[in-house]
Amino acid sequence: MKKITLICLALLFSLVSCNQETKEEKIARIHTKALTLDSHTDTPLRFTRDNFSIAEKHDGKATYSRVDLPRMQEGGLDAVFIAAFISQRARTAEGHEKANQITHKIIDSIYAQVSRNEKKVAIGTKPESAYENEKNGKHTFYIGIENGFALGKDIQEIERFYNRGVRYITLAHTSNNDICDSSTDSTEHNGLTDFGKEVVKKMNETGMIIDVSHISDKSLNDVIELTRTPIIASHSNARAICDNPRNLTDDMLKKVAENGGVVQVCLLSDYVKPPVPQPKRDSAFDALRRKWRGFDDLTEEERAQAVREWHATQRNFPQKLATVSDLADHIDHIVKIAGIDHVGIGSDFDGGGGLKDCFDVSEMQNITKELVKRGYSEKEIIKIWGGNFMRVFKEVEEKKTKV
């Protein structure tokens, strides 16, 4: 009897051992289960030049392209907000009109890319879109606008953009505009302008998510005081970990949490970890900025050439990049200060984002790997990867009063 019992116990132990999940299996399972959402890439910058196709797998190290459908599949990324980025131009009637035209042209290019690959990707307009598309084996492209300069001074453009599928607007970029001050420009308005306050109200009414990445500290505080819906920072980090004006202070993190919003950590290395001095590289990029007038007010042809030269300079002077572990330090800090319900991921791929071990979208699972390593639970990782953002998205939609 004892011998039989021992045999049974051995068999039971063997069965349990066979059923034990390896660490790699756990990472893959959680990553697959989560609705993985990247809240900010600038990939459409490529859609209007160089015959770029999202259906083709591109060599990230050779082209500095970070996102396409084959690599989204490899990295297990379900959905992405791709931004119609507009650089700051002269704040004149002509400048506003040109910016608006370019933004609509970029949106056209997004729809064109999707229509050519409709079996693999679809435009999303609601939080449910990504979940439904995932079940049907499709990726989801959501549309954002980076730089409220695209509105000009026409408040009705918010509704027009919404009707075209746009679901968030980043209020400013690297320079001040007619809505508010930028975090990387001098103080001009001391926060939101009167027009900016009207923009916030109209976005609330329309169901458009307000994105506070890039805007000044005072501008962010003004938005939080005025908005009646949760906000996002689509690609920003914690200033306590990396002291950069593009990142949020602990006080700002707390205010975003009180607002019910979410801060989406950014993979742009300089916002993750203070850059290692590289004098030759810095000089080369300074020369490019002078040549292309700070990349402001460029024609489409000039911008395309400037981007090519920028990528060539990146290849000639490769940056010493931060790591996924460095990025996770920001997630840890935001969780500590704001709570687990107020952090997500917004890579800024194709706009400067990319880490040593998450260079492009094909390596996104490395973030899940690091979170598992640090002891985050499955439930917490699902919140970080998309759950928190979708909660905000849904609430903004539910509180809209006019479309």
Side-chain angles (χ1 to χ4, degrees):
M1 179 66 70
K2 185 177 180 181
K3 184 176 181 181
I4 294 173
T5 301
L6 289 173
I7 292 172
C8 289
L9 287 172
L11 289 172
L12 180 62
F13 179 77
S14 176
L15 182 63
V16 170
S17 297
C18 289
N19 288 336
Q20 281 184 340
E21 187 177 44
T22 67
K23 186 176 180 181
E24 289 73 22
E25 289 170 340
K26 179 180 180 180
I27 292 164
R29 176 179 57 79
I30 293 174
H31 195 74
T32 300
K33 185 175 181 180
L35 189 285
T36 47
L37 169 77
D38 181 345
S39 63
H40 187 86
T41 78
D42 287 299
T43 308
L45 284 172
R46 295 177 175 271
F47 290 178
T48 55
R49 61 177 175 84
D50 297 341
N51 298 315
F52 184 88
S53 171
I54 58 170
E56 298 175 15
K57 182 178 178 179
H58 300 80
D59 184 340
K61 296 293 175 70
T63 67
Y64 280 84
S65 158
R66 313 284 180 153
V67 179
D68 51 46
L69 292 177
R71 284 181 290 171
M72 283 183 71
Q73 188 67 28
E74 288 180 23
L77 186 68
D78 299 315
V80 59
F81 267 87
I82 54 176
F85 165 74
I86 185 68
S87 62
Q88 191 62 43
R89 296 170 177 268
R91 283 150 54 188
T92 61
E94 183 181 1
H96 287 142
E97 182 180 1
K98 185 66 174 177
N100 184 265
Q101 289 173 352
I102 292 173
T103 306
H104 279 286
K105 182 177 180 180
I106 295 171
I107 294 171
D108 290 340
S109 75
I110 295 170
Y111 278 96
Q113 289 277 351
V114 170
S115 69
R116 288 194 290 269
N117 298 279
E118 57 187 10
K119 291 184 178 180
K120 296 180 179 180
V121 63
I123 297 292
T125 58
K126 295 183 178 298
E128 296 79 17
S129 300
Y131 295 97
E132 292 168 0
N133 289 332
E134 183 188 18
K135 289 179 183 178
N136 294 323
K138 290 185 179 183
H139 299 286
T140 303
F141 281 179
Y142 290 103
I143 303 173
I145 289 176
E146 187 173 23
N147 195 355
F149 183 60
L151 301 176
K153 292 187 176 181
D154 184 357
I155 200 77
Q156 299 307 319
E157 272 298 312
I158 294 170
E159 195 168 321
R160 295 186 193 107
F161 281 129
Y162 184 90
N163 290 336
R164 295 213 63 193
V166 175
R167 288 301 178 265
Y168 78 61
I169 298 175
T170 314
L171 297 184
H173 191 238
T174 55
S175 301
N176 302 336
N177 60 22
D178 294 299
I179 295 173
C180 64
D181 290 333
S182 167
S183 64
T184 48
D185 201 349
S186 59
T187 300
E188 178 184 351
H189 311 298
N190 193 31
L192 285 175
T193 64
D194 289 341
F195 176 67
K197 293 173 183 177
E198 292 303 311
V199 167
V200 169
K201 292 176 184 177
K202 183 67 174 178
M203 289 177 73
N204 283 173
E205 291 174 3
T206 308
M208 187 79 79
I209 303 168
I210 298 169
D211 179 17
V212 297
S213 283
H214 280 292
I215 72 175
S216 71
D217 295 7
K218 180 59 166 57
S219 298
L220 184 147
N221 289 333
D222 287 351
V223 170
I224 288 179
E225 287 182 9
L226 187 61
T227 184
R228 57 176 181 77
T229 65
I231 63 173
I232 64 165
S234 68
H235 55 304
S236 295
N237 292 331
R239 203 177 298 178
I241 303 298
C242 181
D243 188 9
N244 187 299
R246 272 281 287 105
N247 293 335
L248 276 59
T249 66
D250 285 0
D251 182 61
M252 293 159 76
L253 293 174
K254 291 175 183 176
K255 288 182 178 179
V256 171
E258 290 168 3
N259 161 266
V262 61
V263 177
Q264 305 283 109
V265 293
C266 176
L267 276 65
L268 198 151
S269 190
D270 286 359
Y271 304 156
V272 176
K273 190 175 183 179
V276 176
Q278 294 181 257
K280 291 183 179 179
R281 184 177 190 275
D282 293 343
S283 296
F285 278 107
D286 284 344
L288 266 185
R289 291 185 185 94
R290 289 193 300 272
K291 176 179 178 179
W292 295 108
R293 308 184 298 280
F295 303 101
D296 284 342
D297 205 19
L298 300 179
T299 66
E300 292 183 64
E301 293 77 15
E302 286 176 330
R303 176 161 295 281
Q305 182 59 30
V307 169
R308 293 187 191 99
E309 292 182 18
W310 186 275
H311 291 156
T313 305
Q314 286 179 310
R315 288 190 289 273
N316 293 334
F317 301 94
Q319 184 181 12
K320 297 175 183 178
L321 296 171
T323 66
V324 168
S325 178
D326 296 321
L327 181 74
D329 290 342
H330 288 267
I331 295 175
D332 287 349
H333 186 79
I334 294 170
V335 169
K336 177 183 176 182
I337 300 300
I340 190 64
D341 295 323
H342 304 285
V343 62
I345 295 164
S347 67
D348 203 16
F349 282 149
D350 292 319
L355 302 175
K356 181 178 180 180
D357 45 354
C358 193
F359 191 79
D360 65 14
V361 71
S362 70
E363 297 181 310
M364 289 297 245
Q365 187 171 299
N366 286 343
I367 297 175
T368 302
K369 180 179 180 181
E370 183 65 26
L371 294 175
V372 169
K373 177 182 175 182
R374 294 190 179 212
Y376 284 89
S377 69
E378 176 182 309
K379 182 179 179 181
E380 290 171 331
I381 293 171
I382 289 172
K383 284 186 175 185
I384 292 168
W385 258 122
N388 290 335
F389 187 100
M390 288 306 193
R391 169 185 54 78
V392 171
F393 193 173
K394 185 176 181 180
E395 188 171 340
V396 171
E397 277 281 302
E398 288 174 346
K399 288 188 175 182
K400 68 181 179 181
T401 59
K402 181 181 179 182
V403 177

